[in-house]
Amino acid sequence: MISHRTHTASPTVHGTHSPLAAVEWDHEGRVTRWSPQAEELFGWRADEVLGKRVDEWPFVHPDDLEAVARRSAGLVWGGERQNLSSNRNLTRDGRVLFCEWYNTAVLDEQGRLAAHLSLVLDVTARVRAQEEAEAARLRAEHAADRIRRLQEVTAALSEALTPTEVARVVMDQGITALGADAGVIALTARAGEELEIADSRGYRDERTRPWRRFPLATPVPIAEAARTGEVIVLRSQEEREARYPTLAPHPSDYPMSVSVPLVVEGEPLGAMGLSFAVAHDFGEEDRSFLVALARQCAQAVRRSTLYLAERAARQEAERLEERLRLALESAAIGTWDFHPVTGTLVWDARCRAVFGFGPEAHVDYDAFLTAVHPEDRERADEVVRRALDPAGDGRCHAQYRVLWPDGTVRWAMARGRAFFEGEGGERRATRFVGTILDVTARREAEAERSRLYEEALAASRAKTSFLATMSHELRTPLNAVIGYADLLLAGIPEEIPGRARGQVERIDQASRHLLSIIEEILTFSRIDAGREVVSPERIDLRELVREVCSIAEPLADGRRLRFRAPETVRPEVVVTDPRKLRQILINLVGNAVKFTENGEIVLAVEADGAWLVFRVSDTGIGIAPEHLETIFEPFRQVDQGTTRSVGGTGLGLAVSRELARLLGGEVEVRSEPGQGSTFTVRLPLVA
């Protein structure tokens, strides 16, 4: 397991030869390691992020914190061993980065969660390119949808025999395509002096009834559009009333409206109006579409051609298709187009680059298979065959290796879709199109992550083995020293002189102190390896507290401190592991004694609902806020000078917290520098 420790650079994780930033964090989401690459990528120094939990990470975008916390919880509590998350991150200077986090749960040899390692890859450039590609694709789809609607109008108008039928067809398409809430088409009547409503949708009948026929000179938007040939856009009720004061007594149900003239060869034939309940940006594409729709409507009324409207829509589609092509190139995404019937295969320049083909190289399906790595060739061919199978959905997604002519091996990811014609037994694939992307860097990152995981696991095993072996080797001779010291103090084989007795007592005390340190290390080693076992039993809590007091009182007396403990303990009987609870309390009391120069140590016991609560308070030096969590890290000593003066391994608090968690509880601390500290142990109350 990777232990909690201060930030140090690892040559394999943080070395300059690794392309990834590395972040290590524990099961509580606290950052325990911050590589130089992470500091270079995000700008945050190690001392600004170490010890911070997930919800405090400054380098995660606030809008993505919840999602990051869920992914982290999947590793900590959900049983996941690896996952990949993509989220926004913040640099120290406020820039937003898009990063892929390759997260791995590091396990010890017992399969228990030891730590978490995240390798971070900055994919901002790729995400921006993909966003642009997606935006271009949406625009292309939007334009295609508009073209399709114009084509549907063309087909429907060819069957429309009356102006009313024409208006109905145009209203159906216009309202749906632009998301309007209401619409109307008014055509000229009486030699162009009046307008007559041919069709309306979404307006209340009492609103439209007075306007079934009205003079072309009426100062209203739809009449002005018909008179002037201009598109009139009103974005609010106030703008409408300011431009047409006569409409003030007749407020509209819809604040925004667009009126478009119906004109053929300079002759006004009427106008079309659309209304919107919510004002929005009526852009150039919306304007172009509505004008084309109005033109078709006008031409249909005159039974003339739809050529100009279709040509304008076709040019717009070609422009958007070109933008899509440029966006795909900037995102390093290649495209391919295969015609199974003729066997024709077309690759763009980027697709050729992925496969290592020059611009003049011949491309067909056999050339494609030859370019695929021999070990992946059969699988790639099967993916294509499944996509072209008329019984399937025509979709494919695969990753395979590509073998360039010079022997270079690259990884490619292909996505595609086949299109079919015919029905039943006559159904067959006529076209197969898709994209290709070089994902070699991603695959190398995955391999690097696996390598680092194995190295971390090996390091964890070696550390655990070393601690256990060292502690056992030291304990054996120490037990002998303590045993012989006890025999000498007991007068065996003979009484020792008074002056020598003091020396033997110091030997005995020092040996027992060293043995306690070794026991602490052994306990930590068992916890670290996941071998510490909980053995609950019914115990007399009063007796356990008396045992703790019998050890704590001499410690306090030795430093001229007062020690207070409760005279009565409630509840008297509980179910817990007495050895672990005794060790927790002795560690906390001993820690309080070491860091208190004057005053007192207080042990309190109480039941708080479903919890059994112990509090150890002191009047010692206190703890700075920034160290309230780091003091629980193994081997972590907040103030080296102070700690060395009072002794200690830096394991007592770490062991106490882990033991409390094994018992289903927690150890917390509240402290201020110079005001003392209070350590609180909460355990489930089982009577």
Side-chain angles (χ1 to χ4, degrees), residues 485-507:
D486 288 343
L487 289 175
L488 290 174
L489 292 173
I492 300 173
E494 60 185 30
E495 290 292 336
I496 58 177
R499 294 178 60 185
R501 186 176 189 84
Q503 303 296 331
V504 174
E505 288 176 347
R506 281 194 287 273
I507 292 174

Side-chain angles (χ1 to χ4, degrees), residues 71-135:
R71 298 297 290 174
S72 301
L75 285 175
V76 177
W77 309 113
E80 294 182 50
R81 293 297 173 253
Q82 296 179 350
N83 63 39
L84 169 63
S85 63
S86 299
N87 55 269
R88 292 167 292 176
N89 294 92
L90 291 179
T91 64
R92 200 173 191 275
D93 58 7
R95 291 179 294 112
V96 177
L97 299 180
F98 292 85
C99 297
E100 288 182 347
W101 288 66
Y102 301 89
N103 305 307
T104 300
V106 180
L107 308 180
D108 58 28
E109 60 185 358
Q110 299 299 318
R112 288 182 172 271
L113 183 64
H116 309 85
L117 178 64
S118 296
L119 300 180
V120 188
L121 179 63
D122 181 6
V123 296
T124 304
R126 188 182 74 201
V127 170
R128 298 298 186 195
Q130 290 174 342
E131 288 176 347
E132 176 61 24
E134 177 65 11

Side-chain angles (χ1 to χ4, degrees), residues 77-205:
W77 309 113
E80 294 182 50
R81 293 297 173 253
Q82 296 179 350
N83 63 39
L84 169 63
S85 63
S86 299
N87 55 269
R88 292 167 292 176
N89 294 92
L90 291 179
T91 64
R92 200 173 191 275
D93 58 7
R95 291 179 294 112
V96 177
L97 299 180
F98 292 85
C99 297
E100 288 182 347
W101 288 66
Y102 301 89
N103 305 307
T104 300
V106 180
L107 308 180
D108 58 28
E109 60 185 358
Q110 299 299 318
R112 288 182 172 271
L113 183 64
H116 309 85
L117 178 64
S118 296
L119 300 180
V120 188
L121 179 63
D122 181 6
V123 296
T124 304
R126 188 182 74 201
V127 170
R128 298 298 186 195
Q130 290 174 342
E131 288 176 347
E132 176 61 24
E134 177 65 11
R137 184 187 66 80
L138 292 175
R139 289 193 295 270
E141 289 182 353
H142 190 56
D145 180 67
R146 296 283 174 84
I147 293 172
R148 179 182 60 79
R149 291 185 182 279
L150 289 175
Q151 292 171 341
E152 290 177 355
V153 169
T154 301
L157 289 178
S158 66
E159 300 178 0
L161 302 179
T162 67
T164 301
E165 291 175 349
V166 170
R168 186 177 301 115
V169 170
V170 174
M171 275 288 93
D172 287 341
Q173 296 298 327
I175 288 179
T176 303
L178 292 171
D181 299 283
V184 62
I185 290 181
L187 303 178
T188 56
R190 292 191 178 183
E193 295 180 357
E194 292 183 346
L195 289 175
E196 182 179 14
I197 293 179
D199 189 64
S200 67
R201 310 286 175 84
Y203 300 106
R204 288 182 291 170
D205 194 52

Side-chain angles (χ1 to χ4, degrees), residues 9-24:
S10 166
T12 55
V13 179
H14 307 289
T16 57
H17 59 271
S18 174
L20 305 176
V23 179
E24 183 181 312

Side-chain angles (χ1 to χ4, degrees), residues 432-470:
F432 186 32
V433 298
T435 61
I436 193 82
L437 178 65
D438 189 320
V439 293
T440 305
R442 181 186 302 178
R443 297 293 296 228
E444 290 175 348
E446 292 173 352
E448 176 73 359
R449 179 186 62 189
S450 298
R451 184 184 66 80
L452 293 174
Y453 169 75
E454 292 299 328
E455 290 183 357
L457 190 59
S460 176
R461 291 170 178 167
K463 181 205 66 179
T464 300
S465 176
F466 169 76
L467 287 176
T469 302
M470 179 195 70

